[in-house]
Amino acid sequence: MSEPTILVTGGTGKTGSRVAAGLAAAGAEVRIASRNPLGDKQIRFEWHDSETYGPALAGADGIYLVPPIGATDPALIVEPFLTQAVRAGVRRVVLLGSSAITDQTPGLGRLYGLVRDAVPEWAVLRPSWFMQNFVGGHPVAVGIRATGEIVTATGDGRVAFVDAEDIAAVAVRALLDPLPHNTDHVITGPETLSYAQAAAIIAEETGRLVRHESVGVAEFAALVRESGVPADYAAFLAGLDDEIRRGAEDRVTSVVPDVTGREAGSFRAFIARNWTELAADMAAEVVVLPGGSVY
């Protein structure tokens, strides 16, 4: 029996690149979807250009599905793609969602039911907030570098931050396991932390003064808008911070060890492991990428 061919959308992103690497290491045929493909493993794919769907889907058995970032109702874009995928013979889809999004979340939540109904074999990954938000171009990381401050509207709310490596490991198993998972996976790290506690860990591991400043929801939405994010999406992101403040993310699950057979990585270990990158980032000029808070 030949190894499955998996189309990885968002294949150069935080999780997609790791999923692609994990699939390849497991022997699967990997096809990386990209707006600007490079190399023979990548193929041109653009959510807003349906002409790119057919070539990307040809011969694919499964899809790692990262929905279009920044769309408040991505189901409108994804549904025609999934319809074409099923017609092309795709049987399994693993969707990247968010622990902050449920079936009842207007717009974004519709994706979950869409995937469950579209294919016979599926999984919905609902990871908590990424540890990778503290490095690179995410606004949290930019604040650490620029002012030594992490500004949120989360108050003392706690989050079980999760490493994208662990999310990808769960995704690979969901894509390749002989039996389909056919379930939602709420993926978390091994402990919950407030942003103030996360800042303290960063300070301890790096020797740099880092603090958390909690602001009101309206003020935070305004700050997000100033970074270039559309007003409706900025309000959505600010609302997610408010949900954290209310305790929505204060939970730990056993999904990572249950699915992968290894423990989820801790926040402290992540910071220690990425200190070199974080230090280099502090001296670099970066571009803030909107929308990274969710995906």
Side-chain angles (χ1 to χ4, degrees):
M1 182 177 178
S2 62
E3 295 296 335
T5 297
I6 307 296
L7 174 66
V8 180
T9 67
T12 59
K14 288 179 185 176
T15 63
S17 60
R18 293 168 169 86
V19 170
L23 290 169
E29 289 293 323
V30 181
R31 185 178 301 157
I32 298 172
S34 174
R35 291 180 185 174
N36 301 295
L38 299 172
D40 59 358
K41 294 297 183 182
Q42 297 190 12
I43 190 165
R44 183 171 178 269
F45 178 81
E46 168 58 58
W47 280 112
H48 298 285
D49 182 1
S50 61
E51 295 297 318
T52 65
Y53 294 0
L57 290 167
D61 303 293
I63 301 171
Y64 179 65
L65 179 55
V66 179
I69 304 300
T72 54
D73 194 357
L76 295 174
I77 304 168
V78 174
E79 186 169 15
F81 170 72
L82 281 180
T83 298
Q84 189 165 338
V86 172
R87 289 174 180 163
V90 171
R91 287 190 53 81
R92 185 174 297 191
V93 174
V94 173
L95 171 69
L96 179 64
S98 167
S99 63
I101 297 169
T102 70
D103 292 77
Q104 286 71 48
T105 303
L108 291 165
R110 292 205 301 129
L111 278 176
Y112 298 172
L114 182 63
V115 167
R116 295 183 193 117
D117 294 340
V119 290
E121 302 177 359
W122 57 274
V124 174
L125 308 187
R126 296 179 54 210
S128 186
W129 298 67
F130 292 12
M131 293 180 186
Q132 277 72 15
N133 290 354
F134 291 84
V135 297
H138 190 275
V140 168
V142 173
I144 293 171
R145 289 193 296 274
T147 64
E149 287 187 338
I150 300 170
V151 180
T152 76
T154 60
D156 295 326
R158 298 165 71 92
V159 179
F161 297 106
V162 62
D163 192 338
E165 297 284 353
D166 291 330
I167 300 167
V170 173
V172 168
R173 292 274 43 92
L175 286 161
L176 298 183
D177 281 349
L179 293 178
H181 291 197
N182 288 2
T183 191
D184 287 15
H185 287 308
V186 177
I187 308 172
T188 75
E191 61 184 341
T192 60
L193 299 168
S194 68
Y195 274 94
Q197 290 172 315
I201 289 172
I202 296 170
E204 291 166 8
E205 292 295 327
T206 65
R208 178 183 174 88
L209 181 62
V210 180
R211 62 180 291 271
H212 173 234
E213 179 183 357
S214 182
V215 299
V217 174
E219 182 179 351
F220 184 71
L223 290 171
V224 176
R225 287 198 304 274
E226 289 173 7
S227 72
V229 176
D232 58 348
Y233 201 64
F236 170 72
L237 295 178
L240 294 182
D241 268 24
D242 192 44
E243 290 298 316
I244 291 173
R245 182 181 65 82
R246 297 171 183 271
E249 296 296 319
D250 192 359
R251 63 177 180 269
V252 171
T253 72
S254 61
V255 167
V256 173
D258 289 348
V259 174
T260 70
R262 60 173 173 77
E263 294 300 315
S266 72
F267 183 78
R268 185 179 293 275
F270 173 83
I271 295 299
R273 190 171 67 250
N274 289 277
W275 164 233
T276 301
E277 179 185 348
L278 187 60
D281 285 345
M282 288 176 180
E285 181 178 352
V286 299
V287 176
V288 179
L289 302 177
S293 296
V294 182
Y295 300 112

